[in-house]
Amino acid sequence: MANFIHSVFQRFHCAMISKKSIQSVALLLASLLPFSNASAQTIFEQYGIPNHLPKYGISSLTQGDHIVEHVEKVTTIDGDASKSSFYLVQTTDDKGIIDLRVKYFPDQLSQDEDGLSLVDDGDVIDSIEYLSRTEYKLRQYADSYDQSSVVVKEIDDKTAIVSFNYSKYALPQDVAYFRFMKVDVHVIDRQPQKMVIVNSAPFEYGRYIIENYHQEIIFDKLSDGSLYVKTKAVTAKGTFKGKPAKLEVTTTPVVFYDDVTGIEVKNEELFKVVSDPRIREKKIELNRTFPIMADLVRKQGIDLPLPYGFSVAYRNQAMDLGFETFNLGLGEIGYKNLDKDFDPSKSFATVSAESISLRGDVFILPFWNVYALLGKIKVRADIDAEYTAETLNDFRDENPIIGGLACRVLAKEGLPLCERGRLGIPLYLDYDLVGVGTTLAIGYREFFATLNATVSQTRLEGQSEWGEPLLVVQPMLGYQLVDYRAQILVGAEYQGLDSRLSGNLGYVDELGGDFEYDVGVKINEWAYLIGFNKQLGRHYNVTALYNKGETRESVTISLGYRF
């Protein structure tokens, strides 16, 4: 019975742990698309602003499928400045897959980038790769501005400032700082001249805490009349490991390649440099195998969690059970029904259990996660049974002399088995656990829903046989606190339990065989739960859950890491 009880407990626990990796995907799947706003489009059209212009504030790589940019980065930490100069080369194939590379000369890279003491240019390239991946990732979310926030301030008949904010919903954790950005587009005679972006709150950027952010983009026109980013200058002030720091990044286009208009060089001198065969080149890995179709989803402005994850969870649960029948297998004696001597209606069990489990998972598709788990369980079960003594009393009535002597002898040994009373049976058991599961998720803006299913088995330590598989299904609804990267969860859990529980507690020498049980129990298959999940930076998250049902109550705490 205890085997079953904790089997149920742990399967529920393991199923719930999957929530920590799903909070992000549930919110972000096929769901957090920017909504259409006709008034915003009308304002943009009225002031000559192309609908795609907000993209340039997030990423200049959105200007074309094939583009070369020059980036100059100056980092000042505690008064010490370092400078790097490099090129980003982006090409796009017929399927829309992007190839991004860094080109550089080692002597044009800082030898003390981001405050690091360098032996070679490896750490500098790591820093450049971080900047480049960020720029690329922002490219995927370039339409993610809040169209409902668009307002206009007219300066005079020719001049106006069109303002808007970036969306809170469709930005991934590591570039989510753009949700704090306020944008002003300066327009003269229906021609955008520049775009100024400032932050409304501090944010993290890599290892920096940025307090003041200022980005200014100057626009010009290509030969076909379309706007492009002539210069993009970012100045960010804050701290780096507690020291005053300033980042200055200036981006200028070198050349545009277009299948229709051909090649348009915007800086002849830089074009010659980047074309030098001696320049070094490193490809930046942007895409992973999983989740499949991730690029298609990202192009819609939908955030995705990192594909792989591990989590460690602790759970403490208390559970109460009522009984309907008792059957025990007592070695060579075989199965015996004990309802005559133990009244099921007046018997119950209180179970407390603690577990530690490890779970690994992967997103196969953006909305489909699969996982495997293993763990250890410690169970204490206190069975409080109503003992009737009917069998011995019937024997004593039929055999007064022998029966009476037997009752007196048992009583002297501290076993008053001829007297009615309550009998306490403590059980201390340790189990192994294995299981597999899957989660599906959908969402819209702050709201999301998940459906989780886990199949798992438990095994008493020292035994070779595993218990029967148990299915646990959990429907969940959640609400995302976007500004805090946190989620609130409510839902229910179904355990597909049988009202008859059987198992084997192992061989007992005194019985000459295994001690087996077949017990009828009263079980409520549903329980309700509430929970909270908080993302801690890009890779970590912590989850706390409270479960309450008619027969059980539990608390679960887990820490997860995604990569």
Side-chain angles (χ1 to χ4, degrees), residues 235-490:
T235 301
K237 298 179 181 180
T239 59
F240 175 84
K241 296 183 178 180
K243 298 179 180 179
K246 181 169 74 171
L247 295 175
E248 298 171 277
V249 181
T250 303
T251 305
T252 55
V254 177
V255 58
F256 293 90
Y257 298 88
D258 188 89
D259 295 336
V260 176
T261 60
I263 301 175
E264 187 162 346
V265 178
K266 306 308 296 182
N267 190 309
E268 291 284 355
E269 183 179 349
L270 293 177
F271 182 61
K272 292 179 181 178
V273 175
V274 77
S275 302
D276 191 324
R278 296 170 297 176
I279 196 169
R280 294 190 184 183
E281 178 181 301
K282 184 172 182 179
K283 182 177 180 180
I284 300 176
E285 296 299 331
L286 302 172
N287 301 304
R288 300 170 181 249
T289 302
F290 295 110
I292 299 170
M293 300 194 305
D295 272 351
L296 296 177
V297 175
R298 291 192 184 100
K299 287 178 182 178
Q300 302 303 315
I302 301 170
D303 189 11
L304 294 177
L306 294 171
Y308 307 102
F310 286 101
S311 63
V312 176
Y314 167 80
R315 182 177 176 95
N316 190 305
Q317 176 167 299
M319 189 172 184
D320 297 323
L321 285 180
F323 297 98
E324 294 185 339
T325 184
F326 293 103
N327 295 287
L328 296 181
L330 305 175
E332 297 178 350
I333 301 174
Y335 267 102
K336 295 293 182 180
N337 182 272
L338 303 181
D339 292 352
K340 182 178 180 180
D341 291 288
F342 295 92
D343 187 350
S345 65
K346 297 180 181 180
S347 300
F348 60 89
T350 301
V351 181
S352 62
E354 291 183 303
S355 76
I356 294 289
S357 65
L358 175 66
R359 188 179 71 94
D361 70 90
V362 60
F363 282 98
I364 303 300
L365 294 170
F367 54 86
W368 178 33
N369 179 272
V370 297
Y371 56 89
L373 54 93
L374 56 88
K376 291 287 187 179
I377 307 165
K378 290 185 178 295
V379 181
R380 171 172 181 146
D382 294 309
I383 302 173
D384 190 345
E386 177 72 16
Y387 179 63
T388 65
E390 288 190 18
T391 298
L392 286 178
N393 287 329
D394 288 345
F395 177 76
R396 183 177 57 184
D397 292 342
E398 295 175 1
N399 304 275
I401 298 176
I402 298 176
L405 179 61
C407 288
R408 288 192 294 272
V409 171
L410 289 171
K412 284 185 178 182
E413 295 296 326
L415 299 172
L417 298 181
C418 298
E419 299 177 11
R420 187 182 184 92
R422 300 201 66 82
L423 180 63
I425 306 173
L427 291 175
Y428 301 90
L429 303 168
D430 294 330
Y431 291 90
D432 300 319
L433 169 95
V434 295
V436 295
T438 187
T439 303
L440 299 174
I442 59 172
Y444 177 72
R445 297 174 70 83
E446 296 100 332
F447 301 94
F448 61 90
T450 64
L451 180 64
N452 186 81
T454 304
V455 177
S456 57
Q457 292 179 282
T458 55
R459 178 182 65 183
L460 187 67
E461 286 190 359
Q463 300 296 310
S464 59
E465 294 185 3
W466 292 87
E468 291 295 323
L470 180 68
L471 173 67
V472 175
V473 179
Q474 297 166 303
M476 295 285 293
L477 296 175
Y479 181 82
Q480 168 104 334
L481 303 172
V482 181
D483 289 337
Y484 300 96
R485 291 287 158 169
Q487 298 83 30
I488 297 173
L489 309 165
V490 295

Side-chain angles (χ1 to χ4, degrees), residues 113-266:
E113 180 74 11
D114 288 353
L116 299 175
S117 177
L118 305 175
V119 177
D120 53 33
D121 60 3
D123 289 327
V124 177
I125 293 301
D126 288 343
S127 176
I128 293 172
E129 283 190 313
Y130 177 82
L131 177 68
S132 304
R133 286 194 187 96
T134 301
E135 187 79 356
Y136 166 78
K137 183 166 287 189
L138 284 169
R139 181 188 192 278
Q140 308 296 335
Y141 302 90
D143 288 319
S144 302
Y145 73 99
D146 183 357
Q147 298 185 35
S148 66
S149 68
V150 177
V151 296
V152 179
K153 179 182 179 180
E154 293 189 346
I155 307 301
D156 53 41
D157 292 341
K158 295 183 178 181
T159 308
I161 298 176
V162 179
S163 303
F164 61 87
N165 304 328
Y166 283 101
S167 173
K168 294 181 178 182
Y169 303 110
L171 291 169
Q173 171 69 20
D174 54 335
V175 290
Y177 54 83
F178 259 85
R179 71 185 186 273
F180 299 121
M181 300 302 176
K182 311 294 183 182
V183 185
D184 291 334
V185 181
H186 296 251
V187 181
I188 299 178
D189 286 335
R190 299 187 73 252
Q191 297 294 322
Q193 303 297 309
K194 67 178 180 179
M195 185 156 63
V196 178
I197 304 173
V198 297
N199 64 314
S200 61
F203 60 89
E204 294 183 16
Y205 179 77
R207 292 175 289 177
Y208 296 85
I209 302 298
I210 303 300
E211 297 172 357
N212 297 297
Y213 177 95
H214 183 275
Q215 178 185 156
E216 184 168 313
I217 294 175
I218 304 300
F219 295 110
D220 204 344
K221 289 187 177 182
L222 295 171
S223 58
D224 62 0
S226 62
L227 289 175
Y228 80 97
V229 176
K230 183 177 181 180
T231 60
K232 175 179 177 179
V234 175
T235 301
K237 298 179 181 180
T239 59
F240 175 84
K241 296 183 178 180
K243 298 179 180 179
K246 181 169 74 171
L247 295 175
E248 298 171 277
V249 181
T250 303
T251 305
T252 55
V254 177
V255 58
F256 293 90
Y257 298 88
D258 188 89
D259 295 336
V260 176
T261 60
I263 301 175
E264 187 162 346
V265 178
K266 306 308 296 182

